[in-house]
Amino acid sequence: MFASFRNTIPRQFVRTYSTTPAGGSNGKKVIWVSLATGAVVVGAYYFSSSKKGKICPLSGSSNNESVSKALDSKWFVGCKLLEKTPVNHDTARFRFALEPDQELGLDITSCILVKAKIGSSFIPTMRPYTPVSPQDARGYFDLVIKHYPNGKMSGHIHSLAPGDILEINGPMTKYPYKTGALKEVGLIAGGSGITPMFQLIQHVLEDPNDDTKLTLIFANKSEDDIILRSQLDSLANNHPEQFKLHYIIDKASSNDWKGDTGYVTKELVQKYMPAAGTEGILVGVCGPPPMMDKVSGSKGLGFKQGKVGGILKELGYNSQQVFKF
């Protein structure tokens, strides 16, 4: 049955959440996306299959010294929700249990694919999400998810209660970060696009052998919309020479706001990001499509990187210096 879907969808609509060439030798976890309906279907049977009996427990702690990886690239693994913690008016942190002696098994940077049958649809809905828990967290992993009004998967996850199961698969590699390969990384995030950035920032700052300098511009509608703020503030305060943090909101609601206001502009990028003429730099961008178009240019067909556009093109950045998450 899935083969019939595969044969009717053009190759350029093949998507991996990473930006490796769609369907190419480096493509992982190929997904077939129906742009007309937003429904996600798969081009291989194992994407609809869960490993029987592979359910992570409700508890998430152990003194066991041996560590295994929870993620299995051939199967979806069921993980139980431990707790749901509100972050703000429309976002929550979800902690899922792994087996006590397990780490999730993520690369930096990478995400997981989440699957669920929602409503009466025969075809499962699948979406990529980037965990925000530390790479070496044992016995659990965390997702921070915004509830979009018409979001099928975000609505489903927000409806889960402790003990409910969410199926995951991965890891799906995005940018293959290597310690020492870059001197400085600039990051521009909008809204929930912060999650892959946070994964990278957390990893770099927790590695005593990594002295890569980091700068983040994090844009949101309002101060209340800034997710992971306490964690970001803590990282910036604990690593003031290595990590520079800059918030920007559309409009301040009080005179107490100390960050920037408005939108991500050419002037802000020039002020905070490493210059295009500098060797050993990268600028990563992740956010809603209008922001991506303006800052870096959108991705190309098949969700490849595409040409550098927008503000970054104007400032002289090339394709080797820009990564679109």
Side-chain angles (χ1 to χ4, degrees), residues 114-292:
V114 169
K115 181 185 75 170
K117 285 191 175 182
I118 300 174
S120 59
S121 175
F122 169 75
I123 300 171
T125 298
M126 287 182 280
R127 296 289 187 271
Y129 288 104
T130 304
V132 298
S133 42
Q135 186 184 22
D136 59 355
R138 191 182 301 188
Y140 73 93
F141 71 93
D142 292 342
L143 296 175
V144 171
I145 298 176
K146 179 177 180 177
H147 186 187
Y148 292 93
N150 298 315
K152 287 183 68 175
M153 183 59 79
S154 66
H156 171 73
I157 295 175
H158 272 259
S159 73
L160 296 179
D164 289 343
I165 292 172
L166 187 69
E167 293 184 277
I168 65 171
N169 176 275
M172 300 169 64
T173 301
K174 289 182 281 189
Y175 181 80
Y177 179 81
K178 294 183 179 180
T179 301
L182 298 166
K183 295 179 180 178
E184 187 171 0
V185 176
L187 301 167
I188 304 172
S192 58
I194 188 61
T195 55
M197 313 303 200
F198 182 78
Q199 184 188 73
L200 177 60
I201 292 166
Q202 184 174 226
H203 174 76
V204 171
L205 297 181
E206 289 181 350
D207 183 352
N209 298 314
D210 197 336
D211 59 0
T212 304
K213 293 189 179 299
L214 304 168
T215 304
L216 171 66
I217 296 175
F218 188 15
N220 286 275
K221 290 182 178 180
S222 71
E223 192 170 357
D224 290 338
D225 289 309
I226 302 174
I227 61 176
L228 296 170
R229 184 176 184 178
S230 62
Q231 293 92 330
L232 288 167
D233 288 344
S234 177
L235 290 170
N237 291 333
N238 291 334
H239 304 270
E241 300 302 319
Q242 191 176 4
F243 176 39
K244 304 298 183 182
L245 174 61
H246 306 282
Y247 295 116
I248 177 170
I249 58 175
D250 291 0
K251 185 178 180 181
S253 59
S254 73
N255 293 329
D256 295 331
W257 176 248
K258 304 301 181 183
D260 291 289
T261 56
Y263 302 95
V264 178
T265 63
K266 181 178 178 179
E267 290 70 28
L268 276 180
V269 173
Q270 283 181 305
K271 182 178 180 180
Y272 295 132
M273 293 291 100
T278 309
E279 292 185 1
I281 64 105
L282 180 77
V283 176
V285 187
C286 189
M291 190 199 88
M292 297 288 291

Side-chain angles (χ1 to χ4, degrees), residues 9-32:
I9 301 177
R11 184 175 178 81
Q12 66 265 32
F13 292 157
V14 177
R15 175 184 180 186
T16 67
Y17 187 70
S18 71
T19 48
T20 53
S25 60
N26 292 325
K28 292 185 177 180
K29 315 301 181 295
V30 178
I31 311 171
W32 302 89

